[in-house]
Structure formats: C-alpha cells, structure tokens
Amino acid sequence: MEAEKQHQFDVDLGNLMAFDSYHTFPSQPPLSREDLTRQCLLKGTHLVQAIADALFTLPSIEDVDGPLVTLPPPTTKLPREKHLPKPKPPTKWEAFAKKKGIQKRKKDKIVYDEQSGTWKRRHGYDRANDEDAIPIIEAKPTDDPEEDPFAKRKENKKNRIEKQEKNRLQNLKEAAKFGALPSHIQLAATALPITGTQAAPKKVTKDELGNVAGIAATATASGGKFDKKLAGEKPQKHEGKYRKFLPVVEGTGIGSLEREQTEKILNKIISKNSHNILNVEKAVTMHNVKKEKKRRSEKGKALASATDKKLKTQKKSFKKGDSKKGKAKGK
Amino acid sequence: MRPLDEKETSAVFEKLFKFVGNNLKNIVENPSHEGPDSNPGRYCFRLHKNKIFYASESLVKRATNVARPNLVSLGTCIGKYTHGGSFHLTVQALNLLAANAKHKVWLKPQSEMSFLYGNHVLKGALGKLSENIAAGDGVVVFSMADVPLGFGVAAKSTLDCRKLDPNGIVVLHQADVGEYLRMEDEL
C-alpha cells in the first residue's frame, strides 16, 4: 500500500519538494474546517515522508558532522522572482542609425600600421597607428609656429574622451527616465548627474562612502546580519539613507543654494499660473459693451429711415392740393 | 530649526500663492530691515517643530544660539504642517497676507462680530468685494475701516455673488483674529 502511494508522488529532490498530481478531496460530504486541516496535514506528512525516503536512498559520504549527500539538479522550474528588466531605450546613435538605415558591421581586429609597416591590433598595447608612437610630425606651411602639435593631439584626445563620457551620461539619463537603468549603476545614480536633481559632488566624503557601503552591505540574503566583517571594519552608523538639509545659516547673506532653490520653485509656480494674466471675464465684458454700442448705432439708422417716410407723406398731400384747384376752375 | 527642503517649499509657496498671487515674489525677495548687521539680507522661511516661521536672516542667525528644545518661536509664524505633510496657514500670517492680498472682501460693521466668532461670510454681510474673484480663490477679509479681520476661501465668484440671496455663503472661513482669544492655547 505505502509503496503504491509513494510511486504516485512526484519528488523533486533538487528543490526538496514533493507533490501528488492525482490527489482529490472528497466533495460530497462537505468537510468542516477542522477536518480539512487534518486531511491536509495528513497528506503533507505523507509527502514529507516521501522526500525523506528518497533522500536517504541517495549515496552518502561520511563526514565529521555526519553523512553528506549531494543533491541531484532540480527538475521543477521555479518562476522568476522579479519581473524581467525593462528594455533600454535606444541611445541617440542607435535611434539615428535606425532612422538612416545604417547597418552595423564589425571591424577587423588586425589593422595595417603605417608607421612600422606591419599588421597590428586595432586597440590596446602596441596598437596600430598609435598617436603616442609617432616620433616626428611634419609641419605644414599653414601651421601656427607657436602651437605644439604633440600637445594639440593630446588635447584633442582629452576632448574626445570628455565628449564620449558626456554622451554616455546623457544616454544613462534618458534610460533613467524609463526606469531601465543598468543594475550596476542604480546604486550610484544618486551621486551621478543622471537624475538631474542635484549636482554631482566633486569628491565623495568619508560619510557618504560609509553610507553607500552600508547600503551595499544589506544586499545579501540575511540583509547583512550574518555576514563576516572585514578586518578593521566598524559597524555602520547609517544602515540606510537619511535626509539632508541646507544649512540654517550660511556665511554672509542667505545661502546661494537656498536662494537657487527658492528662485526655482518661485519661477515654477508663477509660470504654472501665468495663464491667469489674460482675464477672461474682463474680455467678455468689453465684448458686451461693444455689442451694445453697435446696437445703438443701428437704432440711429432706423430713426433716419422714419424721417424718409414722413417726407413721402408730405409729397402725397401736395398732389391732392393740385387736383382740388383743377376742379374749381371747371365750375 | 532647519530650512525647508524642495517639497516643503513648494507646498508653502503654493498655499501663499493662492492668497497673494504674483506678490509672492515680494514676500520671498523682501529685503530685511531688521538687525544691526550692515547687510541684513532678506527674509527666509524656517521650519521648527511643525511650524513654519518667516523671519529675517539676522534673526535666524541669532536664533541658532538657542538650543532647539528651548526655542519656542522666531519671526512670524505663518502656518503649520500636519502629520500627513500638508501645510495649513494660521492666523498669524494675516498681516503678511493682508499687505499683499490679491482679492479682498469688506464686511459691514454689524456683521464683523459674526465672522470673528468663526462663522462664514454671508451675502448680507458684504459691504464691498474686489472684482474678478473666482470660486476657490484665497480672500482676505477686512472691516470697512480697512482693518484685516481674517482670511478664507471664496465660495462664489464675483458675478455669482450678485445673484445670491442674502443668506448665501460668500466666503468660507479659514482664520480670523478672534482665534487669538478662542484658541489661545493652540497657537
């Protein structure tokens, strides 16, 4: 009987898990809560027993602490704990390339070096066409005699690097808007000018470094509680973040930081309410006044037309007078 | 005490803007005339316990010599924060609002007492009111002698007030100078 039951159980030793696919609860006599609980516990006991039986049938290795067993790989696939990371928005270049239809193609690792006449690697140590390896730079007639061409090349390289870094940060800032920041940067995003809400500090102070280390220390399974400490490591003063405020009094005059903050918020509020400058009700009133003026001018015209009618009446009476005179002459 | 952070400053400014409009710039950038310093600076906002104080920079400097538990007040208290984080103006801000008010309402003499006991302003109590008040705007309430009595929120716009019956509410009461006696302990 027990053997038959055990054969029906599906045991996943990799996850130390067992379940019964064929189990059903009787539905006809409705079970009370206590009965249902008792049945669940009984079933659970059987399943745990099946796990224990399967575990103790595995070959074991003797050890000081007792027999050790290597578990087989798990067969049940567990779902992902967190949601999939959001896809990053395309960088500026990627968007441009897509728009232009530019295809990405790989470059060769080996490039011909004009200087030494041999084939060398494109990047890295002893690279091809290395600017630092050029001993002589010929001057052109248009060159400025005051200018050092070697220093100029060094300066150009520095500018290229700065531009590249600026573009990279801009792309990260764009990614931060969609919440698709790479995980290795998220912790540092508070200190970088990616979020755009605060200026990047010139140098990370001792306290800030301790704070970041404290936050990073809580990234383990026990939240840093049971982790081994390094030699000389002190307990963290601030395990998490804490708020920072501008100084109450800052030297002579109100602080420039506070002044900037106040000015920014003030301008935001005023610009948000700038639509109130146009007073709609006043405009409506003026419009009504104009309408009334037009009506009055129209009434004046009506009076003029009435005068015309009176003139016509006079003409008629004049005609009648003439006819009377004619009759008198006849008699 | 400490200066306000960005969110707190926004809450305070938006509430003040409701009553003073663009005169908010005058309040914020008002050059200070207090203190013996050659350059007294200007007025600033400081948070102490749950109250917001509007004080000159010179006063704030000297207040830093007093321990935080022992400091009771400084400058003008204009409002307080609730535990939920919203900002409420209190009656101490009345002088600041009255000097920069965007909309004003004047009460008849026989109705001043009703308002000073905390009642709303009715149509029959109105002596004068400024033009172009929209419903929901902040309003400062004056007596006919131009003495500020309190402030509130307009329940009706200026045009609607004309059609209102005498018992209709025109201004919803928020604060009045009677609170100095009625709520002396809480202020």
Side-chain angles (χ1 to χ4, degrees), chain A residues 3 45 52 82 93 95 142 223 247 257 300:
Chain A
T45 304
K82 297 186 188 290
W93 164 252
T142 57
L257 291 176

Side-chain angles (χ1 to χ4, degrees), chain B residues 119-172:
Chain B
N119 297 316
H120 299 315
V121 176
L122 307 183
K123 170 70 188 304
L126 273 187
K128 293 191 287 182
L129 77 163
S130 52
E131 289 187 7
N132 304 318
I133 299 176
D137 275 1
V139 167
V140 178
V141 180
F142 289 82
S143 71
M144 295 303 287
D146 273 343
V147 176
L149 300 178
F151 55 87
V153 176
K156 303 282 182 180
S157 65
T158 302
L159 296 181
D160 295 339
C161 284
R162 295 170 188 166
K163 314 164 192 169
L164 208 59
D165 61 297
N167 288 326
I169 292 174
V170 174
V171 175
L172 299 166

Side-chain angles (χ1 to χ4, degrees), chain A residues 78-96:
Chain A
L78 297 177
R80 189 186 170 90
E81 180 189 2
K82 297 186 188 290
H83 57 78
L84 289 172
K86 295 181 181 178
K88 289 199 296 182
T91 62
K92 208 155 194 179
W93 164 252
E94 287 168 359
F96 177 80

Side-chain angles (χ1 to χ4, degrees), chain A residues 46-242:
Chain A
H46 290 159
L47 292 171
V48 171
Q49 185 62 51
I51 295 173
D53 291 345
L55 189 62
F56 279 95
T57 56
L58 294 178
S60 63
I61 305 167
E62 289 301 320
D63 192 79
V64 185
D65 299 321
L68 292 182
V69 170
T70 302
L71 295 178
T75 57
T76 306
K77 291 188 174 180
L78 297 177
R80 189 186 170 90
E81 180 189 2
K82 297 186 188 290
H83 57 78
L84 289 172
K86 295 181 181 178
K88 289 199 296 182
T91 62
K92 208 155 194 179
W93 164 252
E94 287 168 359
F96 177 80
K98 188 173 182 180
K99 190 177 176 183
K100 281 285 184 176
I102 295 170
Q103 296 296 327
K104 193 174 185 180
R105 60 176 186 273
K106 289 285 185 178
K107 295 180 178 178
D108 293 330
K109 283 194 173 180
I110 306 294
V111 181
Y112 186 72
D113 183 31
E114 304 285 347
Q115 184 68 31
S116 60
T118 57
W119 291 84
K120 291 186 176 179
R121 295 186 179 278
R122 185 185 291 274
H123 302 297
Y125 173 73
D126 196 23
R127 66 177 74 88
N129 298 317
D130 190 0
E131 287 186 347
D132 295 337
I134 298 173
I136 294 170
I137 298 175
E138 295 183 4
K140 301 171 186 176
T142 57
D143 284 346
D144 187 0
E146 303 290 335
E147 203 172 48
D148 181 1
F150 294 95
K152 185 173 175 56
R153 290 192 174 203
K154 195 171 290 185
E155 186 68 22
N156 286 345
K157 184 179 177 62
K158 185 183 289 187
N159 288 338
R160 286 201 301 275
I161 291 170
E162 283 180 358
K163 187 183 178 187
Q164 172 65 23
E165 183 67 12
K166 184 169 75 67
N167 289 342
R168 189 181 76 90
L169 289 180
Q170 190 65 36
N171 288 329
L172 287 175
K173 190 179 294 188
E174 191 69 23
K177 291 180 184 176
F178 294 93
L181 210 56
S183 59
H184 64 279
I185 290 178
Q186 280 177 17
L187 183 61
T190 55
L192 285 171
I194 292 171
T195 57
T197 56
Q198 59 184 1
K202 294 179 180 178
K203 183 182 176 184
V204 178
T205 61
K206 184 180 173 184
D207 291 336
E208 289 171 0
L209 203 58
N211 291 339
V212 174
I215 293 169
T218 61
T220 56
S222 64
K225 197 169 183 180
F226 301 111
D227 296 335
K228 295 179 180 178
K229 290 191 181 299
L230 302 172
E233 185 180 353
K234 301 173 184 177
Q236 294 300 322
K237 295 181 179 178
H238 301 286
E239 293 177 0
K241 303 174 183 177
Y242 66 101

Side-chain angles (χ1 to χ4, degrees), chain A residues 295-305:
Chain A
R295 288 175 185 174
R296 288 174 185 173
S297 63
E298 285 176 359
K299 285 181 180 178
K301 288 180 180 177
L303 290 172
S305 63

Side-chain angles (χ1 to χ4, degrees), chain A residues 193-301:
Chain A
I194 292 171
T195 57
T197 56
Q198 59 184 1
K202 294 179 180 178
K203 183 182 176 184
V204 178
T205 61
K206 184 180 173 184
D207 291 336
E208 289 171 0
L209 203 58
N211 291 339
V212 174
I215 293 169
T218 61
T220 56
S222 64
K225 197 169 183 180
F226 301 111
D227 296 335
K228 295 179 180 178
K229 290 191 181 299
L230 302 172
E233 185 180 353
K234 301 173 184 177
Q236 294 300 322
K237 295 181 179 178
H238 301 286
E239 293 177 0
K241 303 174 183 177
Y242 66 101
R243 300 170 71 184
K244 294 180 182 177
F245 301 112
L246 300 171
V248 173
V249 177
E250 184 182 307
T252 303
I254 190 172
S256 62
L257 291 176
E258 185 171 354
R259 192 180 292 252
E260 282 175 13
Q261 176 179 291
T262 303
E263 197 72 21
K264 188 176 70 172
I265 295 169
L266 191 64
N267 289 333
K268 192 197 296 182
I269 288 175
I270 290 179
S271 65
K272 192 200 304 183
N273 293 274
S274 62
H275 67 275
N276 288 331
I277 291 173
L278 174 64
N279 200 321
V280 178
E281 292 177 0
K282 257 184 182 178
V284 169
T285 305
M286 291 173 68
H287 184 64
N288 289 336
V289 169
K290 286 183 180 179
K291 273 189 174 180
E292 288 178 2
K293 286 183 178 178
K294 285 185 179 179
R295 288 175 185 174
R296 288 174 185 173
S297 63
E298 285 176 359
K299 285 181 180 178
K301 288 180 180 177

